[in-house]
Structure formats: C-alpha cells, structure tokens
Amino acid sequence: MRLSFIRLVRTILLLTFPFLLTPNVLEAQEQPDASHAGQDDVVKLSPAELAAKIDLLFEKSWSDSEIIPADRATDAEYLRRIYLDLAGRIPAVSEARAFLSDSNPDKRVALVSQLLDSPSSVRNMTTVWRNSLIPQASSQPEFRGLIPGFEAWLWKHISENTPYDVIVREIITTPVGEANTTGGVLTAASSPEAFYVVRELKPENLATGTSRAFLGVRLDCAQCHDHPFDRWKQHQFWSMAAFYSGFAQPVEGSAPVMAMNVAEKKFAREIQIPSTGQIVPAIFLSGQTPAWSDQESTREVLARWVTSPDNPWFAKMAANRVWGQFMGQAMVQPMDDFSDANPPSHPEVLDLLAQQFVLHNFDLQYLVRAITATGVYQRSSLQTHDSQSDPSMFARATLRGLSPEQFFDSLAEAIGFYQPFRSGNPFVLDDDSPRSRFLELYRSEAESPLQRETTILQALAMMNGEFVASATSIENSQTLRAVVEFPLMSDEERLDTLFLATLTRHPTEAERTQFTSYIQEGGASGDRGAAFADIYWVLLNSSEFLLNH
Amino acid sequence: MTTKFCRRQFAKYSGLSLLGASMSGWFSQLAALADETGKRPKRSCILLWMSGGPSQMETVDPKEGQENGGPTKAIDTSVPGIRISENLPKVATVMGDLVPIRSMTTKEGDHTRATYYLRTGYLPVGPLQYPSMGSFLGKSLRKEECDLPSYVSINPFRAFSPGAFAPGFLGPAWSPLVVGAQTTNNEVSFEVRNLKVPEQLTETQVDARLRMLGSLEHSFLANRPGSPGASHLQSYEQAVRMMKSQAVGAFSLEEEDSMLRDAYGRNAFGQGCLLARRLVEEGVAFVEVSLNGLDAAGGAGWDTHADNFASVKSLCEILDPAWSTLITDLKQRGLLENTLVIWAGEFGRTPKINENSGRDHWPGSWSTVLGGGGIRGGQSLGKTSDDGMEILDSPVTVPNFMATICAALGLDHTSTNQSNIGRPIPLSDHGSAPLSAILS
C-alpha cells in the first residue's frame, strides 16, 4: 500500500477535481445506419438497432408472462455494472465523478466505446475467455505455468478485436509441440497450445473440449456409453475424437503430458473405440462426412466446419456466452449445454443475436455493444414486483458474485492498492502477491455467477485479514489519510468520496445523516480518523461492494 | 484453546444482534430447527472419504488365493469369521464396532457421476441441485447451541464433482466450512485463519462497525433477493459467531496428548481424524475427512489404475492407524454410541487385474463400511463371488445405503426438504429402505 508522492498528489487532485480527467468518450459512437431500417431480417443491424429489436422481443415476452419489469438502472448502478462486466473492476472515484456529472444523454453508449478500447477491458476479456477455454489452468496447479503463454496470445487478439471465427480457427489448427522441444517446462511463447496441454493431448478430451467450448454440445457422457435420453451416441463421440486422432499417445503411466516431442499424424482420420475395438472415421457432429483433400490437414478440415457461418451451433454458442457474461444468466444455461432437454429461454433473441454476429463477421465487440445497449441489460437490480423473480426472464438485473479477479481488482481500486501489472509486464505470475492469495481464496466452482457464494473464510479475511485491516487503518493507508486529511474537503465531501470509491454512488440522505453524525461524534473510539476508518471498513465489507448488481 | 483469547473475543462481540438476523429466510430456518430440538441428544456423523475409489480387495473384501485377489493376504479380525486385508491390521482389532458392506452396487463408473451419487444419494438430473449428505445431514442434526457450522469438510478434493460438496437447493446456510491442513516443520495443523480481530481495534469500535454494516445490508438486500446476497449475509453471520466463540478451540490440536496424536498418525488425514473427533465433541453435526493421497495435497490417490498393490498398501498405512484410533478414541470418550463413522469412496476397483498391475473403475460389486452410532457392529453384510465379479447376497444400492445412514443417525429417511423446483425431496430417494439387519 505504498503510493509514491506523485501518485498521492495525483490521487488527491483527481478525487477533488475530476474535471482534470478529460473524457474523450463522445467520438467512437456507432450511429444506426438508417438505410437498413425497416427491411427484412437478414439485413445488417447497427448495435442500437439490434438492441431495440431485442427489447421489443423482451417486452412481448414479459407482457405474455404478465411480468412487470424492474425500473431502469440509475446512472450509478449502470456505471458500476458496466465497469465490472467490461473492465473487470469498479470505476475509480475520478471516473465515477466524470460519468455521473456528464449531461450527455448518450453517455452510456459512449462509455462502452471508451471502455472497449481500454487496457482494463482487454485484460478482463482475456481473463474471462482464458477461464472458459482452459479452465483447468486456474483449478489445477500443475497447469498454472501455461497461463502466460496462452494469455499473451489471447491478449493480442482481444486488443485487435480479431474476429471470433479466426481466433477459434487458430486454436483448432495451432501447431502443437513444434515451437518447444526442451523437456519439462513449456516456454511462455505466445500460443494457444495450452488448449491441448490441459487436455493432455488426448483425442477424447479434445473432442469434448472443442464441442463444449465452441459448439455448446456436451458429449462427455457419450464417451463410455449411449444414454437413453441424450441424442449423442457413443460412435458420434468417437467420430468427433477421430479429428484429433493424429496425436501420438504417450505411454500409460508416464509423467503428465507436455506438448513436447509430439509427432502428430496430421492426416489421421480414424480412431479405435477402446471398449469395443471398433474403428470409426472422423465425421462432423452434424452427421456430414468431411470432404477430404491432400491440402488440408484433419484439424484444418474440422476448424473450417466448426467456424463456418452455416454451423448450427457455433455463432449461437458465442452469442449465448457473451449474453451470459453480461447478464449473469445465459439464455441456454449452463451456457455450454445446448440440447433438446435444455432449450433457450428466449430462442428468438438468441437466433437474432447469432444471425447478426455472423453478418458482422463474428465481431465480438459488436455483440458487446448491442447487448449492453439493450434496456434488458440496463434494468435495476431492485425488485419492485414479485413477477421479476425468475432470473431466466431477465426482468430485473440479478445479484451476481464477483469472479476472483473482479473482486481483487475492485478491492485494489477501492483502497488505492498499487498493482504492478498496470505498468509492467501483465504476464508475470507472482504466487506470493496479495492478488494471487486472494484469487485462491475466492476461487469458486459455481457454474454461474448467480450461484457464487461467499464463504466463511472469505468473510473472515475481509473482516479481520491483514490486507483489509491495513487498507482501512489511518496509520497505514495513504488513501484513507488523503481523504481524511486533505484540507479543502468538508466531512460530507469526504464521506461522499469514500462512497464513490467503494459503492460507486453518493450516500443516500439517510446514510449521509447517519454517517456524518457518527464522524462528528468521533465514532466509537472518540477519534475522527478512526471513525472514517470504521465507515471505510463497513463499506468494503458490504454485499453492495462485494456483489455485481 | 487459549481461554484468555477467547474471553477477550467474546467481550468484543457481546450484546450484538449480529447482522440484522431477522431479515433473511435462512435465519428463520435455523430458528425453526431450534424448536424441534432439545428432546434427545442428536447424533453426529463422521465420513472418511476415499477420493478416487478404493480397492475393495485390498481393504475389506480380500480374495486370497484367487487369481483376481492378487498378492493381497487376508487376516483374522477381532470378530470370528470376518477376515479383511492384511493392509488394515489395526482396523481388524476394532471390527466389533464395524460392519463391512461387501455388496455395494451401482451403474456409475465415472468419477464425476459416482462421486455425486454416493455423496448426495441421487443421480444428477436436470435442474435439481441435490445437497451433499454433509449439508442435509448437517441440517437435520444441527445443534443450535453449537457456534460452529453444522458441516465441516477437512482436506476435500472437490474437482470431480463440486456440487457433491455443496448444499445445492438447501441454500448457503448449509455450506461446509472447508478446512485445509497446513504442515510446518513436519507438524500438521488446522487453523481457521483471520478469526482474531486486529489488535488496534477496540470493543466498542468493532461493535459499532457491525451495527453499521447490519443497517447497510438491510437496506441493500431487503429488495434484492438471490443466493449471492443471502450467502454473503449468512457467511458473515456465521463468521462473527465463530469469532466470538470458544468452540474454535477445537481446531487447536496441540492441546491433545502427544501419544494420542502419534496414534492417529502425524499426517494430514490422521490429524484430520483427530480434529473430526474434537469437532464432534464440540457439537458439529457432520465432519468429513478426505484421504486424497500420500501427501496433504488434493487428488484421487485411490484411483489405482497402475501399481494398485503398492499404492493401496501405502495409503492403508495412513488409513489404518487413523481409522482404528478414531473408533477407540470415540469409544473411550463415550462418543461412539452417538457418532456414526462411514468409510466410503465413489466406487470400487475391477476384480480383474490389468496389465499395469492396476485395477480400473468398478461400480458393480464393491465395499463400504459403517460403524459406531446406530450400527450393530461385529457382522458383515453382503457377499461377493470368489472372483469378486458378482454379488451373491444382499446387494446394496446407494439409496438404501443412504437410508441406512439416516436411520443409524436417528432420522426418518422419508422426511423431506423443499427443493429449488418446488418439489419436496426425501433424505434418501423414493422407494429406499434402511438395512435393518445392521441397525442397532
């Protein structure tokens, strides 16, 4: 918690005079293309047009189900949510003041454009996509070393907004084992190779990984036997695995597989089902037999089919995933389980999103702009009617647990904790840093942020742990001291600053009265500084701070 | 337990109405439970969980002299007629309190599904999130006066099936307190970190902080229903209760006699079993201790696809002293008659030995062991064929196994909890029945 003197001065200035930050948020707006309006469905829609169509579909769905939706979110509520969803952290006090005092009626859309280009957003999207593509890297310590190389590769694509189909093609066709022939440890070369390593280069793991991550199809159970209620049969599973049959299998019982010395048979097209001995050819999940040629390797053929605009699942799966990422709840939930038994909550909306995603050349930022522009995304989390309780109806913003990364980066923002990655190499792993320790403590196996729960150990760390204790102590926290001791602020302004730093809003009238009188009485210990520290601690421990809402 | 520390903590939080207890539905559940209790002593349950699926033939159903039996020898136990593997010589001496069930049978040979099945009593289907047995048994057996959570999980390896270690539709009040072992200078300890309030804070200050937090929570969560908010409130409530309680002294193993600690085994599992006894003494309803491998790390050590015989022998060197000492220690303290001890993994191993001297997944005919409270020990249940491939007598399904656990704990296995889809769900599945032959 050491701030340099210059940083301290800057903090004070920005806390006090937010206009010193000139937001250039008004330029990058995308205007609706009027020439397309009113035509049939296959026309390209601007994000605003698509958002409007989606809102119409939801209004109909709500009125059909006799649902009265929640109010529109306030600016403060929206601001906090969009920062957490896009930038992966809450806004700084200066950013909050700038937005809340901005009178531009289109400031919400403008903020999305501004954030999409920010390093925070690129970093956050990289983390989110990495967690969904190689989840094993954060849950299994032996794979943690793979994160830097994978993130370096992903970071570049996210920052350049590479079309999604190009990214996925690169994953499915990436050379494996060629860049690295040194034993033991993988180099941190920028590559999606980790996708293969965490699946131990096994054709069956790669088949389930590919179909889950990119098609939303869960084949896992069909590996061993046919399931009575599932459309996927065992031979279909192995036909998918056959696309990865080129990987030489390591000797049973040897050390964990590393992508080294792999001699891939790039044109292998069949595989043996271990339990039956039957040999099955590579066939697409759609049932079509691939058109083979000598020019295209087996994985290239698979990649072309997976990422094709005609693939029945590819675009829908991505649209569903991005929707779920911003809403907390996907239309097909769990988001990687498309099946007849698990239909989408709003099929028309999902179809429309997927269709426009394809028409916009798989532009992920387009999806983000459209989804965040909807009135659905911009609902308040405050329940005003019983009919809003079903999260799959999207009539109210849900309460969501923060991801470990969102949690720590927001805490760091709120207490002015300087995180070295901001200026230095973002790919350095430091397992002893406060960030690493908190990420470990906040790791959750919940399938959706709606199910993420606070544990007793997390509560204890926030209430009594050294990190937060130090951040809320007037002796150790320069941020708190800056707020409490800066001469030009009244106590009300100081309180306001603490609220903005933590909850991204001004205190209500009742809160202002309650907390100001607490401060003026010197709090519980007769000390004005300690009284501020108490309030800071309370704000940091509140569910309003620790949840996305 | 340092009583001094505890009293000081207590003083800091005395007179608090924690975090606005009346506002959450979870709390009224707790209150309602308190009313039902107090009639007779509630039993407790300790689950020894063998992650990965332990080999029945190298533990309690040896097949000496058979081709499938491998090199494993059988030994006599304190109960005439019951013979178990030579890997468990100390467990053999406490057989009078145990019942090996040698006829477990399911169709689930996948770690994820089998782990879920054994630990919840139900197969994963649709949107229903069944609670872990630690959660639903913890709920039914909770002692309101106990300041610790009703479900404590020691060293769990949850990767196979996180939901099998979670409260599911029962909600966050019944989540486990997860405790991991720390090893410093070969000394294993279990510390719940951050229980102590920072030195520089005064009692009145902490008091004021919690009161202000309570009012902030009330205004924010009152009209924002949802599990993340409820669990936040619930965890803070339980954390504060633990902070002010003397019960956390149960985690201080250094208070125990050094010889007894040696007897349990100076490793994560052995000391975990000792901790389980201390927690049960303190009133915790359900404690599980996982044996995941030879060191304290997570894993599936019992998943012995290769080198089965040496691996299981090494694991049993940890299991045997810990399990047997747990039984004798509970008995000496008069706790055994009210404490059910379960030994189980997600499935057994193939009777046929594979080419790597290993055994693969086998759900068809395998073993678990029940002992202590509610169980008439000193007998075995079920029988497998000489080659271990078939069950010759009394096949036991998972729902019947779960119904037996409920009955041994003094619970009605047909009593229900309300699920997330509005359907009442019985403790063990419809149609299940306890194995009355082994109940006391």
Side-chain angles (χ1 to χ4, degrees):
Chain A
M1 246 146 293
R2 301 255 178 270
L3 291 162
S4 71
F5 177 71
I6 293 170
R7 207 181 129 81
L8 177 62
V9 170
R10 191 176 157 270
T11 308
I12 295 170
L13 288 177
L14 290 179
L15 289 170
T16 324
F17 308 110
F19 50 83
L20 288 176
L21 258 196
T22 37
N24 55 346
V25 294
L26 302 179
E27 289 149 35
Q29 277 188 71
E30 202 166 320
Q31 293 300 324
D33 185 347
S35 66
H36 286 159
Q39 294 182 19
D40 69 329
D41 272 347
V42 289
V43 108
K44 266 173 94 165
L45 301 173
S46 73
E49 289 168 331
L50 175 54
K53 276 198 139 185
I54 291 173
D55 280 334
L56 279 178
L57 289 170
F58 271 101
E59 271 156 36
K60 180 167 185 315
S61 150
W62 291 331
S63 86
D64 288 350
S65 310
E66 295 179 10
I67 286 172
I68 298 162
D71 296 340
R72 186 169 190 253
T74 62
D75 277 350
E77 218 179 340
Y78 172 83
L79 173 68
R80 193 172 200 280
R81 189 184 304 158
I82 194 78
Y83 260 86
L84 281 168
D85 288 343
L86 256 182
R89 61 169 174 87
I90 58 170
V93 174
S94 54
E95 292 165 325
R97 285 198 204 278
F99 181 80
L100 295 177
S101 61
D102 186 353
S103 57
N104 172 15
D106 292 326
K107 65 182 178 179
R108 294 189 180 189
V109 172
L111 179 60
V112 171
S113 293
Q114 182 202 336
L115 285 177
L116 274 173
D117 293 331
S118 71
S120 292
S121 167
V122 173
R123 182 186 165 76
N124 176 51
M125 289 300 169
T126 301
T127 306
V128 167
W129 279 97
R130 188 254 295 162
N131 275 330
S132 55
L133 294 172
I134 52 167
Q136 300 90 338
S138 36
S139 62
Q140 287 166 249
E142 68 266 32
F143 293 134
R144 221 161 272 177
L146 297 167
I147 293 175
F150 193 80
E151 286 205 339
W153 168 81
L154 200 51
W155 178 286
K156 180 171 177 294
H157 283 312
I158 303 262
S159 63
E160 291 169 358
N161 194 29
T162 305
Y164 177 66
D165 60 329
V166 176
I167 297 178
V168 174
R169 262 201 304 278
E170 216 171 286
I171 294 175
I172 300 181
T173 60
T174 193
V176 174
E178 291 178 6
N180 170 44
T181 49
T182 55
V185 184
L186 271 170
T187 58
S190 166
S191 152
E193 210 173 13
F195 185 84
Y196 293 79
V197 180
V198 299
R199 292 170 178 87
E200 299 170 53
L201 287 171
K202 287 185 178 161
E204 53 272 41
N205 295 357
L206 290 163
T208 50
T210 304
S211 45
R212 255 195 193 214
F214 308 128
L215 305 176
V217 170
R218 289 193 182 187
L219 290 175
D220 314 33
C221 294
Q223 179 174 349
C224 306
H225 41 85
D226 293 346
H227 275 267
F229 308 115
D230 209 329
R231 71 180 271 200
W232 302 110
K233 302 297 176 202
Q234 194 186 19
H235 72 89
Q236 285 174 297
F237 171 88
W238 288 100
S239 290
M240 180 70 183
F243 284 100
Y244 290 107
S245 60
F247 291 111
Q249 282 307 285
V251 183
E252 218 24 78
S254 66
V257 187
M258 282 294 157
M260 53 179 191
N261 304 326
V262 176
E264 185 194 357
K265 299 190 201 81
K266 291 187 176 162
F267 291 84
R269 291 167 191 166
E270 55 184 35
I271 198 165
Q272 187 173 32
I273 303 181
S275 59
T276 64
Q278 189 192 354
I279 290 177
V280 294
I283 298 175
F284 299 134
L285 283 178
S286 58
Q288 297 153 286
T289 304
W292 302 109
S293 84
D294 295 343
Q295 269 73 52
E296 257 184 333
S297 74
T298 306
R299 285 201 280 142
E300 283 165 349
V301 171
L302 174 66
R304 193 155 48 78
W305 174 77
V306 167
T307 61
S308 157
D310 301 326
N311 185 296
W313 300 286
F314 181 65
K316 263 194 211 178
M317 167 62 189
N320 186 53
R321 188 193 285 285
V322 177
W323 179 270
Q325 186 190 325
F326 281 84
M327 308 297 298
Q329 162 97 13
M331 285 182 268
V332 173
Q333 182 76 35
M335 60 172 77
D336 58 359
D337 190 9
F338 280 64
S339 74
D340 296 343
N342 188 33
S345 58
H346 294 80
E348 287 172 302
V349 177
L350 187 55
D351 288 347
L352 183 61
L353 268 173
Q355 175 212 70
Q356 290 297 318
F357 184 44
V358 173
L359 286 177
H360 284 81
N361 197 24
F362 297 102
D363 177 352
L364 287 168
Q365 288 197 358
Y366 168 82
L367 279 185
V368 173
R369 287 175 203 273
I371 290 169
T372 56
T374 61
V376 186
Y377 178 74
Q378 299 184 28
R379 295 259 84 89
S380 170
S381 64
L382 192 69
Q383 180 163 307
T384 50
H385 193 265
D386 285 346
S387 62
Q388 298 154 5
S389 60
D390 180 358
S392 70
M393 290 308 290
F394 304 99
R396 166 178 91 91
T398 49
L399 285 197
R400 296 182 255 160
L402 300 181
S403 73
E405 293 87 1
Q406 281 175 324
F407 159 75
F408 188 78
D409 295 345
S410 297
L411 179 61
E413 193 64 64
I415 65 176
F417 175 69
Y418 176 63
Q419 294 203 66
F421 64 76
R422 290 251 172 101
S423 56
N425 181 351
F427 307 116
V428 173
L429 287 176
D430 172 7
D431 273 347
D432 250 358
S433 68
R435 189 173 198 266
S436 300
R437 279 186 277 122
F438 272 99
L439 292 195
E440 191 59 32
L441 182 65
Y442 275 75
R443 207 146 52 73
S444 158
E445 280 110 352
E447 259 191 350
S448 104
L450 269 61
Q451 292 161 8
R452 213 173 269 143
E453 295 182 344
T454 306
T455 68
I456 294 172
L457 300 181
Q458 290 164 1
L460 288 169
M462 284 303 289
M463 284 193 286
N464 301 332
E466 203 219 325
F467 189 75
V468 176
S470 169
T472 54
S473 121
I474 198 88
E475 290 80 28
N476 298 329
S477 164
Q478 297 202 37
T479 305
L480 182 60
R481 217 163 57 229
V483 173
V484 175
E485 293 174 5
F486 189 67
L488 299 183
M489 278 199 277
S490 69
D491 279 353
E492 282 204 10
E493 285 167 323
R494 294 178 217 279
L495 184 68
D496 196 58
T497 305
L498 290 184
F499 264 76
L500 282 174
T502 51
L503 307 185
T504 322
R505 65 170 174 89
H506 302 293
T508 62
E509 215 34 62
E511 287 162 345
R512 198 184 304 277
T513 311
Q514 180 195 359
F515 290 120
T516 314
S517 72
Y518 183 75
I519 294 161
Q520 279 157 5
E521 289 158 12
S525 43
D527 178 277
R528 200 173 139 273
F532 274 107
D534 292 341
I535 292 169
Y536 202 17
W537 180 96
V538 167
L539 296 172
L540 290 171
N541 276 282
S542 68
S543 49
E544 188 175 355
F545 173 70
L546 291 162
L547 300 174
N548 188 358
H549 44 83
Chain B
M1 179 63 205
T2 50
T3 326
K4 194 176 57 194
F5 159 78
C6 208
R7 294 216 189 289
R8 202 176 138 263
Q9 293 290 309
F10 186 77
K12 277 194 180 181
Y13 294 103
S14 59
L16 280 190
S17 71
L18 305 181
L19 295 170
S22 62
M23 58 177 294
S24 159
W26 308 116
F27 296 132
S28 44
Q29 278 189 32
L30 287 179
L33 273 172
D35 292 337
E36 296 169 17
T37 64
K39 282 156 200 161
R40 56 170 176 70
K42 283 183 171 177
R43 289 189 167 144
S44 297
C45 184
I46 296 174
L47 168 65
L48 307 179
W49 182 252
M50 306 294 115
S51 174
S55 171
Q56 66 280 9
M57 290 188 168
E58 276 62 59
T59 52
V60 299
D61 194 11
K63 298 290 178 187
E64 187 179 341
Q66 299 292 324
E67 188 189 345
N68 284 351
T72 306
K73 300 211 164 18
I75 55 170
D76 287 333
T77 67
S78 57
V79 178
I82 299 183
R83 286 165 65 81
I84 63 172
S85 149
E86 62 181 336
N87 292 326
L88 298 171
K90 295 193 170 91
V91 170
T93 65
V94 295
M95 192 51 70
D97 292 307
L98 304 179
V99 178
I101 300 174
R102 289 162 169 163
S103 50
M104 292 296 300
T105 183
T106 80
K107 291 189 169 63
E108 305 303 326
D110 166 74
H111 287 295
T112 298
R113 288 174 63 85
T115 300
Y116 191 89
Y117 196 27
L118 257 290
R119 297 180 50 93
T120 66
Y122 289 86
L123 281 167
V125 264
L128 258 174
Q129 295 153 354
Y130 294 102
S132 162
M133 67 165 110
S135 297
F136 72 78
L137 293 175
K139 175 172 182 272
S140 298
L141 299 169
R142 177 172 174 79
K143 298 168 187 72
E144 182 53 26
E145 68 279 8
C146 176
D147 289 327
L148 299 174
S150 59
Y151 173 17
V152 177
S153 180
I154 301 169
N155 289 330
F157 173 69
R158 289 172 285 184
F160 282 143
S161 178
F165 293 77
F169 60 69
L170 292 183
W174 311 104
S175 293
L177 171 67
V178 173
V179 190
Q182 285 120 38
T183 309
T184 331
N185 303 327
N186 291 326
E187 182 85 346
V188 178
S189 62
F190 299 91
E191 187 202 0
V192 180
R193 300 193 62 203
N194 302 312
L195 267 173
K196 206 172 167 183
V197 170
E199 283 298 323
Q200 66 271 22
L201 297 185
T202 63
E203 293 169 29
T204 41
Q205 208 177 348
V206 174
D207 188 287
R209 285 180 171 197
L210 288 173
R211 240 184 298 113
M212 286 191 283
L213 181 59
S215 85
L216 203 61
E217 294 298 68
H218 190 275
S219 54
F220 180 73
L221 290 174
N223 289 304
R224 287 182 177 83
S227 174
S231 93
H232 182 268
L233 206 57
Q234 185 60 238
S235 294
Y236 270 72
E237 174 85 3
Q238 291 190 338
V240 170
R241 190 165 171 189
M242 277 172 69
M243 279 155 64
K244 68 167 193 174
S245 168
Q246 309 211 12
V248 295
F251 291 94
S252 310
L253 297 184
E254 64 276 8
E255 291 176 354
E256 289 288 331
D257 181 78
S258 177
M259 303 252 292
L260 183 65
R261 295 192 68 184
D262 290 343
Y264 272 98
R266 295 269 184 174
N267 51 65
F269 181 75
Q271 299 300 296
C273 286
L274 173 56
L275 175 58
R277 189 221 80 208
R278 289 175 64 86
L279 291 170
V280 163
E281 258 175 329
E282 203 53 64
V284 176
F286 187 99
V287 187
E288 66 182 340
V289 195
S290 292
L291 178 48
N292 312 315
L294 297 180
D295 56 20
W302 294 96
D303 198 18
T304 50
H305 289 284
D307 201 17
N308 169 69
F309 302 97
S311 305
V312 174
K313 186 171 188 293
S314 311
L315 285 164
C316 283
E317 283 164 10
I318 294 172
L319 172 66
D320 187 47
W323 186 6
S324 56
T325 306
L326 177 65
I327 298 290
T328 49
D329 195 14
L330 285 169
K331 196 166 192 174
Q332 275 167 16
R333 287 162 191 267
L335 293 168
L336 189 61
E337 60 180 318
N338 280 316
T339 308
L340 174 68
V341 180
I342 308 169
W343 178 85
E346 63 264 39
F347 42 52
R349 316 298 307 179
T350 43
K352 202 163 158 1
I353 300 161
N354 69 22
E355 65 269 30
N356 301 313
S357 297
R359 296 187 190 273
D360 303 318
H361 304 176
W362 183 257
S365 51
W366 53 288
S367 306
T368 56
V369 179
L370 297 178
I375 295 294
R376 195 149 53 82
Q379 56 174 329
S380 65
L381 182 80
K383 187 170 162 41
T384 49
S385 54
D386 285 346
D387 62 4
M389 301 289 286
E390 281 163 69
I391 293 173
L392 302 181
D393 179 32
S394 313
V396 176
T397 63
V398 166
N400 287 349
F401 180 62
M402 200 59 93
T404 310
I405 289 170
C406 292
L409 290 165
L411 302 173
D412 175 1
H413 68 284
T414 64
S415 63
T416 59
N417 284 303
Q418 201 62 27
S419 73
N420 53 327
I421 58 166
R423 187 147 58 88
I425 301 292
L427 297 187
S428 66
D429 208 349
H430 293 284
S432 61
L435 308 162
S436 51
I438 62 170
L439 293 170
S440 61

